[in-house]
Amino acid sequence: MKTILIVGGSKGIGKAIINALKETHKIINFSRSEGVSHSNITNYNVDVLQEELPEITEEINGLVFCPGSINLKPINRLSLDDFRNDFEINVVSAVKVIQKYITSLKNNDGSVVLFSTVATKLGMPFHASVSASKSAVEGLTKSLAGEFATKVRFNCIAPTVTDTTLAEKLLRNEKQRENMEARHPLKKFLKPEEVASLATYLLSDSSSAISGQVFPIDAGMVSLKL
């Protein structure tokens, strides 16, 4: 049974990934809030950016880094600290986790899944900070895929708006939800389970020939114009 480390698995996409894997994998979950309870899950209450990372005796076959931010403001209302904070959450904390557990991943033909956003490919007003930091995540993905080729696979998923607590301000009432659906050519936004399905595939042996890729799940927003 493979062991997957999931950072941020207590809610949203991370929780959906855990629910998809918990019957067939051992799960180690790092989260600041209470995680899913199951015999195959070990939960650690840890803030990966602020606290020392736990020592893990299990060999790790996969890593999914889920933390992110949606900090949408006009550029003149974004402080330098806004940019720094988004970069710390999305990039620096991911690097910290990867550095800590890369040896175990190398020893076990590991797979790492990171997260970006469709806003790196499509210019969206008020997305300057989050787009900048997520673009760095995409660069990190490609660089590390090259650095660890044959040892660890690195891939990135770039979803559009997903129905999670992180996006609740964008989907806070029925009118906003209808407007968000209308913005997408497929007339929908995402459920966490849809994103989790791709993440679980990228962790699996079925994707053993895939590395260094950024996969948009955009409901047609970037690629289609109807």
Side-chain angles (χ1 to χ4, degrees), residues 2-221:
K2 289 187 175 182
T3 298
I4 308 297
L5 169 59
I6 298 181
V7 180
S10 64
K11 59 183 69 173
I13 293 170
K15 184 176 181 179
I17 296 170
I18 286 181
N19 284 330
L21 294 175
K22 64 186 180 184
E23 301 296 339
T24 54
H25 293 70
K26 292 182 179 179
I27 305 294
I28 299 171
N29 174 41
F30 291 175
S31 180
R32 293 180 298 176
S33 55
E34 186 175 353
V36 177
S37 179
H38 189 276
S39 59
N40 286 339
I41 301 173
T42 302
N43 289 299
Y44 289 84
N45 187 349
V46 57
D47 182 334
V48 297
L49 186 57
Q50 302 295 333
E51 299 173 9
E52 185 175 348
L53 298 176
E55 298 296 330
I56 296 176
T57 58
E58 297 96 330
E59 293 297 309
I60 301 172
N61 304 98
L63 165 63
V64 185
F65 186 87
C66 299
S69 57
I70 301 180
N71 185 15
L72 307 184
K73 298 177 185 177
I75 187 67
N76 62 345
R77 288 178 50 201
L78 284 165
S79 67
L80 291 180
D81 282 340
D82 284 323
F83 280 89
R84 292 187 184 102
N85 290 338
D86 283 341
F87 196 85
E88 291 275 340
I89 292 168
N90 291 284
V91 185
V92 175
S93 54
V95 170
K96 179 180 177 181
V97 174
I98 291 167
Q99 288 179 329
K100 178 71 173 181
Y101 304 111
I102 191 63
T103 299
S104 184
L105 289 161
K106 284 171 58 180
N107 292 339
N108 292 279
D109 297 319
S111 175
V112 176
V113 177
L114 304 175
F115 283 93
S116 180
T117 170
V118 292
T120 65
K121 297 294 188 293
L122 183 66
M124 295 182 179
F126 315 131
H127 283 67
S129 183
V130 65
S131 181
S133 61
K134 288 300 192 182
S135 294
V137 171
E138 294 185 10
L140 179 69
T141 298
K142 292 180 178 295
S143 180
L144 294 181
E147 183 173 342
F148 293 100
T150 76
K151 295 295 184 182
V152 183
R153 295 185 296 111
F154 287 82
N155 290 291
C156 185
I157 299 173
T160 188
V161 172
T162 307
D163 194 2
T164 67
T165 54
L166 189 63
E168 61 188 0
K169 290 183 179 179
L170 303 176
L171 303 169
R172 61 178 177 265
N173 57 52
E174 192 60 34
K175 182 62 174 178
Q176 283 187 308
R177 296 172 76 89
E178 290 174 358
N179 288 342
M180 189 61 69
E181 288 175 345
R183 290 182 61 193
H184 294 79
L186 299 188
K187 304 308 177 189
K188 62 173 292 181
F189 47 84
L190 300 179
K191 298 177 182 178
E193 292 76 15
E194 293 175 291
V195 185
S197 293
L198 179 54
T200 57
Y201 170 70
L202 292 172
L203 291 168
S204 74
D205 293 337
S206 296
S207 64
S208 62
I210 301 174
S211 191
Q213 302 301 311
V214 178
F215 292 92
I217 308 182
D218 66 355
M221 176 173 278

